[in-house]
Amino acid sequence: GIQVEQSPPDLILQEGANSTLRCNFSDSVNNLQWFHQNPWGQLINLFYIPSGTKQNGRLSATTVATERYSLLYISSSQTTDSGVYFCAVERRSGGSNYKLTFGKGTLLTVNP
Amino acid sequence: DTEVTQTPKHLVMGMTNKKSLKCEQHMGHRAMYWYKQKAKKPPELMFVYSYEKLSINESVPSRFSPECPNSSLLNLHLHALQPEDSALYLCASSEQGLRAFFGQGTRLTVV
């Protein structure tokens, strides 16, 4: 199956700092999404971004599908950005699979 | 409305109990999912329903039994679980292969 690697595994920032999270995947994908899991377990969908660049407030994401990686940028970080950031991908091989494979995540801690 | 609602939020059950987890969405999505997540691990896919039919079963033990009564509802019936089944159970929905939305999850403890 497809492999998803996220880096760094852990990241500690001071409030106001910027950061870049990376997701590498082992094969071409039809679907790539970024999620934020808050300390209560809720998974929030940040971006659906199989290719290209998107921005949403202080967050932006870029996927370079031909080079098999995606980046999530967090600017002016806030303590509420703390949690685990997951990249998830899907490679469809015929039929209707809709199977998302998650990376191991990046644990972000933003200190005040 | 981009909400997926799961009930209950917390559940403690004995190994001989039968219980059910419920999931509901009103976004018109035709794909619904159950994931299991252990502490400090990523979510792992258990089941996928597409157009109310089971399309993926990731070799899940039969003590977990999914059900999709209609396009808005997804249940997970639990019976004779083991302590190692304690985890966060997440439901999600999506339009076919597009952006997935997750519920808040059910924290299950098997005693």
Side-chain angles (χ1 to χ4, degrees):
Chain A
I2 193 165
Q3 305 299 311
V4 184
E5 292 185 5
Q6 290 187 243
S7 60
D10 299 277
L11 185 58
I12 300 175
L13 300 174
Q14 287 300 120
E15 203 166 22
N18 302 329
S19 62
T20 301
L21 281 55
R22 187 176 180 104
C23 172
N24 292 334
F25 40 96
S26 60
D27 206 341
S28 59
V29 298
N30 304 94
N31 183 349
L32 187 146
Q33 301 182 44
W34 283 96
F35 296 90
H36 174 220
Q37 189 165 39
N38 65 26
W40 298 270
Q42 173 83 56
L43 266 170
I44 306 297
N45 191 303
L46 300 175
F47 294 102
Y48 168 77
I49 187 165
S51 64
T53 297
K54 290 186 178 179
Q55 179 148 11
N56 185 1
R58 295 181 296 104
L59 303 181
S60 64
T62 294
T63 297
V64 184
T66 52
E67 296 187 23
R68 299 181 186 168
Y69 73 89
S70 184
L71 302 174
L72 177 69
Y73 305 96
I74 304 174
S75 64
S76 304
S77 58
Q78 301 175 357
T79 56
T80 52
D81 295 331
S82 296
V84 182
Y85 289 80
F86 288 107
C87 168
V89 304
E90 177 197 353
R91 174 173 170 75
R92 234 163 282 154
S93 52
S96 306
N97 292 326
Y98 314 130
K99 177 180 175 178
L100 276 178
T101 299
F102 282 75
K104 292 185 177 179
T106 292
L107 175 59
L108 176 64
T109 303
V110 181
N111 291 323
Chain B
D1 183 7
T2 57
E3 191 172 286
V4 177
T5 304
Q6 288 188 244
T7 56
K9 289 187 169 44
H10 300 273
L11 178 63
V12 179
M13 62 184 290
M15 289 188 284
T16 59
N17 291 160
K18 287 185 182 181
K19 296 287 186 183
S20 296
L21 310 184
K22 297 185 183 302
C23 175
E24 188 169 9
Q25 57 90 13
H26 294 288
M27 293 177 277
H29 292 165
R30 303 316 298 265
M32 295 186 75
Y33 313 77
W34 282 114
Y35 284 83
K36 173 182 177 180
Q37 187 178 23
K38 302 283 273 186
K40 300 189 186 301
K41 298 288 187 183
E44 294 180 348
L45 184 66
M46 300 175 71
F47 303 103
V48 180
Y49 273 83
S50 178
Y51 287 91
E52 302 161 48
K53 290 187 175 7
L54 184 65
S55 63
I56 296 180
N57 177 341
E58 291 289 276
S59 303
V60 179
S62 60
R63 56 186 184 269
F64 296 92
S65 175
E67 178 196 20
C68 189
N70 60 53
S71 60
S72 299
L73 294 174
L74 188 65
N75 299 323
L76 186 62
H77 303 298
L78 314 173
H79 173 55
L81 295 192
Q82 303 298 309
E84 59 265 29
D85 296 321
S86 298
L88 179 66
Y89 288 84
L90 293 161
C91 173
S93 73
S94 74
E95 198 40 61
Q96 314 291 20
L98 298 180
R99 194 174 181 184
F101 294 89
F102 281 78
Q104 290 181 306
T106 295
R107 289 199 182 274
L108 174 68
T109 304
V110 182
V111 298

